Structure formats: structure tokens, C-alpha cells
């Protein structure tokens, strides 16, 4: 239960303040002392009475306390209390996922997906799921049914991370590639001489999009960022008095290049999360250019780092630009018809990599675009574009990479989105009325896998984990180092799971101390990492990293998408049957 008061208890009912990290420690300490260490934690604070879920963005801050922050503080307390045993966290929410298209969505709850996706990457002993429901009428048969569904969900070891229950059906989230064709005519949403506001317009991607709009439609551009930028009449003097590689000088030259292409450009310093500053910016823009036709919300802040080091100040600086920024844009453009509002989100909101708050901020953008699509009945488009990493420009290049991970990052840069591919995708996407599109220049599952293993590796490289690692035991075979990324990822997971310093590719899982329980956890981990279905029995069939990696790579190459989808469905069904059998056996055992 949540309350502002000090934690209190009565007959195993505890009251804690979701805003106070120490309360989570106190609760866990007490449970450990009573030998009641939880194996499953069910988080219900994002389940709100029906009437409270329609509020859209008004409850953004309050939702963070009981959603994002409570899960963050819980994960931090679990670490502080040395809870390294296997644990399952299930966050149950309502009105978060768009499944039927008829839900009253509450996008402010979507930030809980940050911790849900990131915690298992940083703490391999914890598995997390988000279970979204629609609350039925109290005391109806549907309520009983939902309770039954949730109980099954929590006791049977299902593998999906993102789940929704709608009526009698259980939905899991998967992604399939589609081709968005080029059409002969120009993007109907971009006008010759159209007026476009780009928040974060002087950032890496913002300037690439600005260049594209200058070239294709000679746009009138409003580029905004928080940093001070010299007035136009001071540019020449600035250039003359600063070095060639001065960052502001480079941006001045880029803005001048946009003008040379025929664009008109207004650069304004304004924080997108500040309503007054943004209102002043929009007034100034309207005065100069007239009606604004489209908005690209490309402002973003990304601060690398693990959950254990996240403070509310860091989190707030990441969330504000996307959460408050969208609130501000919504307020300002409430009565204006925009041809489009493009929200620049990231693949991280799907994969869970980079940092917990960055994932959360982008998950919010995704959910907001779905919320708009549900509530919008005109042809105005709100779209979240989940970009994979970009090449040559932007924040993916700016973040500091630990020395050990540099070769891995350089390899990944090669398959990142080039500016040309990015603008071409942007152009195509604008022709459609879709709420969310993921853009990646490579196989999506490979991209997700890479994001996740990067996060796992960084979590291990940046800090020495509290988990103790033991030397590799003496085995009949000698140690052979992983030869490729799939093998490295598998070795990484085994090392964490088994607590062994280094695992060779011919080492047998069971000889290393793996058992059937660990096999179930490994299977879950594999599914999250490779976004693909595995059975626990696969591990018996392919008990070494080398065998398993070969099996994974073979399947990916051999099976075209629709076959994969079909075999996935079949395997899911088999796995579910297996899980149901197992849970029935467990139930019988418990009597
Ligand atoms: N680069 C990638 O590989 C990649 C991949 C996936 C998604 N994305 C997303 O794409 C967007 C653009 O990324 P980028 O790579 O171009 O990043 P970037 O180069 O760091 O540019 C982001 C810009 O946003 C501005 N900004 C940050 N907070 C702001 C605020 N509150 N108000 C106004 N401006 C603000 C920053 O300028 P000031 O500091 O001056 O405010 C900065 O110029 C981001 O939303 C990012 O999440 C990028």
C-alpha cells in the first residue's frame, strides 16, 4: 500500500511511501528477517480506477511516482539488500497498451516499461514483465476471470515480457518487418515553403532533417535548443573570433548552408519542457512565418549509466525533455491543425538498452502516439519513430564508450542508419497514417539483440558487479574463447547466470553447475535477448555455447519471416503446453 506516512505494518500489511527509497529497504529488510524473502513481486500501483485513466497527460508526474520511480527504487533497494536469488517482478497496469484500438490510453504509465525492460539486463537474476489489463466491473464474472488469468500468469513461467489481457485473450507483443514503399508523388504532408518547427533542431539528427526539408521543399525552419545561440547579426563576428572546430561556429555554418539551399531559418533558444519559453518561441515564429505546418520533436537527453547510480535529478533531466516537452507541445498546438507531429523515439524503448530513464522517456513517446491515434479523428498525424542508432551524427556518437567496448561499438556503427537512409525513411513514413514505426537498417532482431548485449556488457564493464564470480572449474575440455557476437552474448549470459568468471564455447551447461531451474531462467533470458522462442529442452539438445550459437544462427538464416512467425507460434503453443503441464505438476505437488 502506498501512503505518505512512515512505513507501518499490521498482519503483513505494510504501508510505504513510493517516493521514499528507504521505505523499500525497510520493507525488504523486514521480509528477509522474517524469512519471507519474496520470489515474486507484483506491482499494482499502475492499476488505477477506470475514471482516473482518461486523464491523458494531466497526471504525468503522479504516475511517475507510482510507476517509474517506485520500480526504480525497488530495483535499487533489491541490490542494496543483496537479493541475488532469482526473482520475478510483474508490473500490472491498465490502459497502457493499445491492443484493440478502443482503449482509453494513459500514456503517462508507459514509463514503467523503462525499469521493466532494463532491470533484467542489469540484474540477470531478476525477470520482469508488464501485464496490461482493462479493469472489469467490480464483482462481475469478468473480474473473476481476470483474477484467474493473472494468477496463471504469475505462477506459470511464461516467457514474454510485454503482455496484455483483453477479454478472454492473452496478447504478447512481437514485431514483424514491413516494407514501406516509395510512391511516385511527393510526401503529401510536406509543403513547398512549409513551416516546420524542429525541437532539438541544432542537434545531430535535427540538422540532417532540416537539411532534407531545405533541399526538398525550401522549408521555413524554426530550430530550437536550450543552449544560447548568437543572434544572426553576430554570426560573422563569432566565426571570425572562434576556432574552426568551435561547436557553435560549426552550427552557424550549417544554418548558413540551409539558407543557401533556399530555406529561411529562425534559431531560438527555448527549453521544450518550459511552456512560457515555448509559447514565446511559437509566437515569434508565427509572426515571422505564419502558420506552423508540422512539428518534429527531436529534442532529447541521454545520459549513460546503470540503475544503481540513477538519482531523481538525473532521471528528471532525461524525462523532462520528452514527457514535459510533449505536454507543452500538446498545450500550445491544442487548437492548431498540424499536418504532423513526429516524435523522435528510439529502438531502446523496445530493446531496453542504454539507460532506464532513456528507455522510459521513449516508451512514453510511443504510447503518446498511440493515444493520439486513438483519440484523433482527422487526418493530422502523430507518429513515434523508433530510430536505431544513426551513423556520423547525433548522440550515439557523443556518449563515452569504455575502452573495452570500443571494438564492439565500432562494429555496430557500421550497421547504423546513414543520414541518407534516415531522411529517406522519414519521407516514406510521412506518407502513411501509422502511429509508430521502427527504423533499422538491419534485421530488427539483430538490432534488438545488439542493444541488449551492449547494455549488459556496459553494466558489467562500468562497475564491478556485487555478484561474486568464481573461477571456471576444471572440465574435460579446454577453454575456447567466443568467436563471434552470438557466442559472446551467450557466454555473457551464462557467466552472469552461473556466477563463473569465464565460460568457453565448448563448456557444457550442466557440467558448469546448470540445473533445470537455471535452464528455465536461461531460456527466459535467451528469449529476451534474441526475441525468439526457445524451449528449455533446447538446452538439453544444444548444451554448449558453440552448439547453441550455431543453432540460433542457422535458424535466422534459413527461415524467412513468415516461416519464423509460424514456427514461433507453434513453439509458443508447445511452450505454453509445457508450462501448463509443469504448473499443474507443481500445483499437484503443493497439494
Ligand atoms: N542519434 C541516434 O543514434 C538516435 C537513435 C535513436 C533515437 N534518437 C533520438 O533522436 C533525437 C535526436 O537525437 P540526436 O542524436 O540528434 O541528439 P543530439 O545531437 O544530442 O541532439 C539533441 C538536441 O536536443 C536538444 N535538447 C535537449 N533537451 C532539450 C530541451 N529540454 N529543450 C530543447 N532542446 C533540447 C539539445 O540541445 P541543447 O542541449 O542545447 O538543449 C540537442 O541539440 C533524440 O530525441 C534521440 O532520443 C537518436
Amino acid at each position: 500500500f502506498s501512503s505518505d506516512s512512515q512505513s507501518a505494518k499490521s498482519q503483513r500489511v505494510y504501508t510505504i511511501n513510493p517516493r521514499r527509497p528507504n521505505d523499500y529497504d525497510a520493507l525488504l529488510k523486514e521480509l528477509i528477517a522474517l524469512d519471507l524473502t519474496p520470489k515474486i513481486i507484483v506491482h499494482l500501483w499502475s492499476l488505477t480506477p477506470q475514471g482516473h485513466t482518461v486523464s491523458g497527460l494531466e497526471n504525468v508526474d503522479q504516475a511517475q511516482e507510482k510507476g517509474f520511480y517506485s520500480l526504480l527504487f525497488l530495483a535499487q533497494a533489491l541490490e542494496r539488500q543483496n537479493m541475488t536469488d532469482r526473482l520475478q517482478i510483474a508490473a500490472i497496469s491498465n490502459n497502457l497498451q493499445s491492443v484493440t484500438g478502443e482503449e482509453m490510453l494513459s500514456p503517462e504509465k508507459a514509463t514503467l516499461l523503462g525499469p521493466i525492460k532494463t532491470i533484467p539486463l542489469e540484474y540477470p537474476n531478476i525477470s520482469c514483465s508488464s501485464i496490461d489489463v482493462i479493469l472489469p466491473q467490480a464483482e462481475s464474472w469478468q473480474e473473476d476471470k481476470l483474477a484467474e488469468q493473472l494468477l496463471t500468469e504469475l505462477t506459470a513461467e511464461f516467457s514474454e515480457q510485454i503482455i496484455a489481457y483483453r477479454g478472454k485473450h492473452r496478447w504478447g507483443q512481437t514485431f514483424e518487418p514491413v516494407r514501406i514503399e516509395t510512391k511516385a508523388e511527393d510526401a503529401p504532408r510536406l509543403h513547398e515553403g512549409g513551416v516546420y518547427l524542429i525541437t532539438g533542431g541544432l542537434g545531430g539528427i535535427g540538422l540532417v532533417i532540416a537539411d532534407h526539408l531545405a533541399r526538398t521543399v525550401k522549408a521555413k525552419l524554426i530550430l530550437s535548443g536550450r543552449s544560447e545561440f548568437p543572434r544572426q547579426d553576430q554570426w560573422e563576428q563569432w566565426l571570425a573570433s572562434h576556432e574552426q572546430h568551435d561547436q557553435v561556429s560549426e552550427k552557424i555554418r550549417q544554418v548558413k548552408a540551409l539558407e543557401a539551399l533556399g530555406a529561411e531559418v529562425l534559431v531560438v533558444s527555448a527549453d521544450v519542457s518550459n511552456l512560457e519559453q515555448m509559447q514565446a518561441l511559437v509566437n515569434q515564429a508565427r509572426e515571422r512565418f505564419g502558420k506552423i505546418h508540422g512539428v518534429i520533436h527531436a529534442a532529447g537527453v541521454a545520459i549513460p549509466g546503470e540503475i544503481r547510480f540513477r538519482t531523481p535529478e538525473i532521471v528528471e533531466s532525461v524525462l523532462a525533455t520528452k514527457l514535459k516537452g510533449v505536454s507543452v507541445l500538446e498545450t500550445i498546438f491544442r487548437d492548431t491543425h498540424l499536418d504532423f507531429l513526429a516524435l523522435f523515439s528510439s529502438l531502446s524503448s523496445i530493446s531496453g538498452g542504454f539507460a532506464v530513464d532513456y528507455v522510459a522517456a521513449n516508451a512514453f513517446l510511443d504510447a503518446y502516439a498511440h493515444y493520439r491515434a486513438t483519440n484523433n479523428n482527422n487526418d493530422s498525424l502523430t507518429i513515434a519513430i523508433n530510430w536505431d542508432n544513426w551513423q556520423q551524427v547525433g548522440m550515439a556518437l557523443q556518449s563515452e564508450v569504455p575502452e573495452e567496448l570500443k571494438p564492439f561499438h565500432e562494429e555496430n556503427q557500421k550497421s547504423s542508419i546513414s543520414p541518407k537512409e534516415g531522411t529517406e525513411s522519414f519521407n516514406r513514413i510521412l506518407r502513411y497514417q501509422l502511429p509508430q514505426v521502427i527504423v533499422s537498417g538491419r534485421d530488427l532482431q539483430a538490432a534488438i539483440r545488439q542493444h541488449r548485449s551492449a547494455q549488459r556488457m556496459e553494466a558489467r564493464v562500468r562497475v564491478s558487479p556485487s555478484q561474486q564470480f568464481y573461477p571456471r572449474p576444471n572440465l574435460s575440455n579446454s577453454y575456447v574463447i567466443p568467436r563471434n557476437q552470438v557466442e559472446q552474448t551467450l557466454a555473457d549470459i551464462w557467466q552472469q547466470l552461473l556466477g563463473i568468471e569465464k565460460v568457453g564455447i565448448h563448456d557444457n551447461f550442466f557440467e558448469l553447475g546448470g540445473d533445470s531451474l537455471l535452464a528455465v531462467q536461461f531460456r527466459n533470458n535467451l528469449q529476451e535477448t534474441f526475441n525468439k522462442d526457445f524451449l528449455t529442452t533446447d538446452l538439453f539438445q544444444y548444451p554448449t555455447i558453440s552448439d547453441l550459437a550455431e543453432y540460433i544462427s542457422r535458424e535466422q538464416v534459413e527461415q524467412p519471416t513468415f516461416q519464423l512467425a509460424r514456427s514461433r507460434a507453434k513453439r509458443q503453443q508447445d511452450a505454453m503446453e509445457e508450462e501448463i503441464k509443469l504448473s499443474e505438476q507443481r500445483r499437484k505437488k503443493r497439494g
Side-chain angles (χ1 to χ4, degrees):
F1 290 89
S2 82
S3 155
D4 283 344
S5 67
Q6 279 278 321
S7 79
K9 62 175 175 173
S10 72
Q11 295 188 338
R12 295 201 189 152
V13 174
Y14 295 83
T15 304
I16 65 171
N17 182 339
R19 285 186 298 264
R20 237 181 357 229
N22 290 348
D23 280 14
Y24 299 83
D25 288 278
L27 174 61
L28 292 175
K29 264 188 198 150
E30 170 95 11
L31 294 178
I32 295 167
L34 292 171
D35 204 13
L36 290 171
T37 313
K39 298 260 177 288
I40 302 177
I41 298 180
V42 184
H43 181 279
L44 294 162
W45 278 339
S46 293
L47 207 49
T48 50
Q50 203 66 16
H52 292 180
T53 60
V54 192
S55 52
L57 292 171
E58 274 144 34
N59 279 343
V60 169
D61 285 341
Q62 205 192 344
Q64 301 326 307
E65 278 174 13
K66 290 197 176 174
F68 178 87
Y69 279 111
S70 68
L71 286 163
L72 176 79
F73 293 153
L74 173 64
Q76 291 175 331
L78 287 167
E79 175 168 354
R80 280 193 296 269
Q81 298 310 317
N82 278 325
M83 295 193 48
T84 50
D85 286 350
R86 281 188 285 284
L87 173 69
Q88 185 189 340
I89 300 177
I92 302 182
S93 59
N94 57 338
N95 304 61
L96 191 165
Q97 298 287 353
S98 173
V99 179
T100 63
E102 289 170 354
E103 297 92 344
M104 301 276 214
L105 293 175
S106 302
E108 70 277 4
K109 292 183 182 177
T111 48
L112 70 80
L113 297 173
I116 291 301
K117 297 200 173 189
T118 311
I119 289 171
L121 299 180
E122 297 187 24
Y123 303 96
N125 61 312
I126 306 178
S127 62
C128 292
S129 57
S130 154
I131 305 165
D132 191 53
V133 302
I134 297 292
L135 279 184
Q137 286 249 314
E139 292 173 31
S140 59
W141 68 264
Q142 288 93 338
E143 191 182 53
D144 291 344
K145 177 84 195 157
L146 180 61
E148 192 187 303
Q149 288 166 328
L150 291 177
L151 274 178
T152 312
E153 188 69 48
L154 296 170
T155 45
E157 282 157 358
F158 289 127
S159 56
E160 295 98 336
Q161 198 174 43
I162 307 299
I163 300 138
Y165 279 94
R166 295 293 183 266
K168 291 181 178 168
H169 291 164
R170 176 184 189 273
W171 297 80
Q173 189 183 52
T174 58
F175 298 92
E176 299 294 342
V178 285
R179 196 173 161 75
I180 294 186
E181 296 296 343
T182 325
K183 287 186 190 159
E185 73 270 22
D186 279 333
R189 284 198 175 83
L190 293 178
H191 304 288
E192 190 68 21
V195 182
Y196 302 107
L197 162 62
I198 310 181
T199 70
L202 292 175
I205 300 180
L207 276 166
V208 172
I209 299 290
D211 178 84
H212 172 68
L213 296 176
R215 278 175 204 280
T216 50
V217 293
K218 296 205 173 7
K220 299 185 174 68
L221 298 166
I222 307 126
L223 308 182
S224 75
R226 290 164 306 178
S227 309
E228 285 298 318
F229 197 72
R231 283 199 327 262
Q232 191 163 13
D233 57 2
Q234 298 167 341
W235 288 357
E236 293 311 322
Q237 195 199 343
W238 184 284
L239 290 174
S241 57
H242 289 81
E243 285 183 5
Q244 182 76 1
H245 293 300
D246 168 66
Q247 281 189 359
V248 176
S249 301
E250 281 181 0
K251 290 194 194 306
I252 292 176
R253 279 193 292 275
Q254 282 172 290
V255 173
K256 281 163 69 97
L258 296 175
E259 290 176 333
L261 289 166
E264 287 181 56
V265 188
L266 174 66
V267 181
V268 186
S269 300
D271 183 336
V272 68
S273 64
N274 182 312
L275 181 60
E276 287 80 45
Q277 289 181 17
M278 284 304 286
Q279 189 63 67
L281 172 151
V282 168
N283 293 346
Q284 192 185 345
R286 282 180 177 147
E287 217 164 88
R288 173 152 169 205
F289 296 137
K291 180 179 163 25
I292 295 174
H293 297 106
V295 176
I296 297 152
H297 184 26
V301 174
I303 303 172
E306 293 73 45
I307 287 174
R308 70 192 79 191
F309 297 128
R310 257 15 202 186
T311 60
E313 292 72 32
I314 298 179
V315 170
E316 179 54 21
S317 67
V318 175
L319 294 188
T321 300
K322 300 213 177 194
L323 270 67
K324 292 209 176 103
V326 163
S327 283
V328 165
L329 293 172
E330 181 176 82
T331 307
I332 292 178
F333 294 104
R334 185 165 285 148
D335 301 321
T336 307
H337 176 278
L338 290 174
D339 295 334
F340 64 87
L341 166 61
L343 305 170
F344 280 14
S345 175
S346 164
L347 181 59
S348 300
S349 67
I350 287 142
S351 62
F354 200 72
V356 64
D357 35 32
Y358 185 68
V359 174
N362 287 301
F364 169 79
L365 295 185
D366 305 345
Y368 179 78
H370 284 280
Y371 159 78
R372 291 287 296 181
T374 319
N375 292 298
N376 182 22
N377 34 28
N378 61 38
D379 63 348
S380 171
L381 170 74
T382 299
I383 180 160
I385 306 178
N386 300 77
W387 299 110
D388 195 352
N389 292 348
W390 280 53
Q391 277 171 21
Q392 298 161 33
V393 295
M395 55 173 61
L397 297 182
Q398 293 152 15
S399 50
E400 204 186 306
V401 178
E403 202 53 41
E404 301 93 312
L405 299 181
K406 279 196 175 139
F408 183 69
H409 276 250
E410 277 156 21
E411 189 56 36
N412 285 319
Q413 267 294 312
K414 289 183 197 149
S415 48
S416 302
I417 301 167
S418 69
K420 188 167 177 296
E421 288 166 342
T423 50
E424 174 62 28
S425 313
F426 181 69
N427 235 14
R428 290 191 193 190
I429 288 167
L430 280 192
R431 294 185 178 117
Y432 292 79
Q433 189 77 27
L434 298 166
Q436 184 181 10
V437 173
I438 303 168
V439 181
S440 178
R442 51 190 163 160
D443 170 67
L444 181 64
Q445 306 310 335
I448 290 176
R449 208 159 53 231
Q450 181 274 320
H451 274 232
R452 289 180 177 164
S453 50
Q455 181 67 8
R456 277 207 184 89
M457 284 189 201
E458 288 190 21
R460 287 192 55 195
V461 165
R462 285 181 197 275
V463 284
S464 51
S466 58
Q467 183 183 349
Q468 202 179 350
F469 284 86
Y470 298 97
R472 176 175 174 271
N474 275 338
L475 302 176
S476 49
N477 58 294
S478 50
Y479 172 74
V480 179
I481 197 166
R483 297 162 298 188
N484 54 44
Q485 197 185 315
V486 177
E487 289 185 349
Q488 181 57 59
T489 306
L490 291 172
D492 208 48
I493 302 174
W494 281 23
Q495 282 159 201
Q496 286 282 348
L497 203 63
L498 299 161
I500 291 175
E501 268 169 12
K502 58 176 190 178
V503 171
I505 60 168
H506 300 306
D507 298 355
N508 185 300
F509 181 76
F510 300 97
E511 283 179 36
L512 287 170
D515 56 21
S516 56
L517 274 176
L518 281 169
V520 171
Q521 202 188 342
F522 177 58
R523 194 271 320 265
N524 295 348
N525 237 320
L526 270 188
Q527 302 199 134
E528 267 168 33
T529 309
F530 292 93
N531 205 9
K532 156 181 181 16
D533 298 302
F534 293 93
L535 302 178
T536 31
T537 47
D538 287 341
L539 200 54
F540 292 89
Q541 209 176 337
Y542 308 103
T544 68
I545 285 176
S546 143
D547 291 346
L548 202 54
E550 198 198 316
Y551 164 66
I552 291 168
S553 310
R554 198 173 56 225
E555 272 225 325
Q556 273 164 358
V557 172
E558 282 173 4
Q559 288 190 302
T561 303
F562 75 94
Q563 273 180 356
L564 272 174
R566 200 185 295 162
S567 95
R568 194 176 300 155
K570 167 84 176 78
R571 292 164 73 82
Q572 251 162 8
Q573 195 185 342
D574 291 347
M576 268 177 69
E577 281 167 12
E578 188 203 352
E579 299 286 4
I580 288 165
K581 239 191 267 160
L582 276 173
S583 76
E584 271 171 9
Q585 280 168 7
R586 262 186 244 121
R587 221 172 286 150
K588 271 191 202 141
K589 251 195 217 161
R590 282 200 299 266

